[in-house]
Amino acid sequence: MTRTTRTGAGVLGGLLATVLALTGLAAGPAAAAPSTAAGPQLQAALVTDAAQFEDRILELLNRDRAAKGMTRLQRVRELDTVARTWSTQMAREGSMYHNPSYASQFPAGWRIAAENVAMGYQTPDEMYRGWYNSPGHYRNMFNPDLTHIGIGIAYGTESWGTAPYGTQNFAKYPSGTRLTPTSGFSQPTAPGSGSTAPATGRINDGGIGGSGNTYHLNNAFGGAADVVFQYGKTDSRTYVGDWDGDGKDTLAYRVGNTFYVRNATSAGPAHEIIPYGRADDRVYVGDWDGDGKDTFAVRRDSVYHVKNSMSGGAADEVIAYGRAGDDVMVGDWDGDRRDTFAVRRANVYYLKNSISGGNADHVIGYGRSGDDVYVGDWDGDRRDTLAVRRGKTYYLKNVISGGNADLEVGYGREADTTLVGDWNGTGRDTLGIRR
């Protein structure tokens, strides 16, 4: 439903038969925080994600207002507080409904007040589009008389997963009204942290480090890149996976312990935003259950918390393997379509063919202890094997064994950061670079 309030006017209401509503009040002043039902391990990730979710909604709205010849709305902290508090209350109660007194929570002096709420949309683009496609919510967002906005996202736990609750609070204030502009990206912080999410670019895990957000992907070994695009942040850690099961690998980037997953090798917004684990976890990607979709696992010392779905919440499997100081790789070593772990010590690799502890199933030596090592199915036989890099030369092996490389490839520049994936769905992994 929609609700708009004007000074000296009544409340205009209407019904909307979806999970969207427009309301007009937010309860008391408090910082946005995830529902306590989400659990303490997810709270920092969810708050960081909520900030980016809010920023994206503002970006979409002001872009469309400008395209329609309207002034951009100024986001202010006072209205953010109202919106975040109400979203938090809805998330805590697990119920989306109107705030009965939002206008009284606004700073004095407003001439028009309005609110939109929503629940369950997993990305900011989806939530915004839901509001956009609803006539009542659209009227609030594109009221040319409005001047200011507050946005709040909070997360609740539903039977089907983690649910974002969203609130937009709108107001018209006379020119010269003293309000505090919201400073921008990742404005909220984790409870008690006093800072935004830590950088993840230098974490040593199964992701791609380096810097830059331009990716050059090759569908063959050699020649110019077949696809070049930009995605994510220049200082974030990047992960490669087939997130939607279409047979093609794409990218995700990480901020803190929130993952921004895109299902196409192209620029654009994330298709899924997923909190999992802790901000300092080491993260690995694999198809752990053989369903054709890659998901995340986090490592803490030598313990792995494996998730079989693209969602937050508890791990589906927890195992211990290797030592805390091991380098870790992921691959389908035996062709059973399930990824498992391997640990590296110098130039010796201890490969496991199941998600379990115990002794390695294969132990091989390959390359030198100082080599950079990559994993891929280089020949399309559905078994992952190793490659080592020296400078800009890659030595690829098509069997799990020592000995000479089966293919020697020169690619890119010595300073490039390398990634591996099946970019075109042929069943063969090839290289890409990040600059």
Side-chain angles (χ1 to χ4, degrees), residues 364-366 397 399-404:
I364 64 163
Y366 184 56
K397 193 76 179 168
V399 292
I400 299 293
S401 67
N404 294 328

Side-chain angles (χ1 to χ4, degrees), residues 75-141:
R75 186 176 174 191
V76 293
R77 293 185 183 180
E78 292 84 352
L79 297 184
D80 277 350
T81 296
V82 176
R84 289 171 179 165
T85 301
W86 187 247
S87 291
T88 300
Q89 180 168 323
M90 290 192 294
R92 185 178 296 115
E93 297 176 1
S95 178
M96 188 200 71
Y97 62 103
H98 292 303
N99 183 333
S101 57
Y102 71 99
S104 67
Q105 302 295 325
F106 286 13
W110 57 267
R111 296 294 180 262
I112 303 173
E115 185 179 75
N116 291 352
V117 299
M119 171 266 193
Y121 292 91
Q122 292 299 306
T123 71
D125 292 62
E126 290 173 354
M127 185 176 288
Y128 175 77
R129 190 54 50 187
W131 279 324
Y132 189 100
N133 290 334
S134 166
H137 303 83
Y138 181 98
R139 283 194 298 271
N140 275 354
M141 292 197 297

Side-chain angles (χ1 to χ4, degrees), residues 282 284 299 301-304 319-331 333 340-353 356-366 373 375 386:
R282 297 182 179 187
Y284 299 86
R299 173 190 178 192
D301 294 326
S302 61
V303 178
Y304 300 82
I319 65 156
Y321 184 56
R323 305 169 184 166
D326 287 333
D327 289 332
V328 176
M329 293 161 294
V330 171
W333 314 114
T340 51
F341 296 105
V343 300
R344 174 191 181 190
R345 297 165 190 166
N347 67 337
V348 179
Y349 302 83
Y350 300 79
L351 282 62
K352 193 73 179 168
N353 287 330
S356 63
N359 293 329
D361 295 296
H362 295 279
V363 180
I364 64 163
Y366 184 56
V373 180
V375 174
L386 304 178

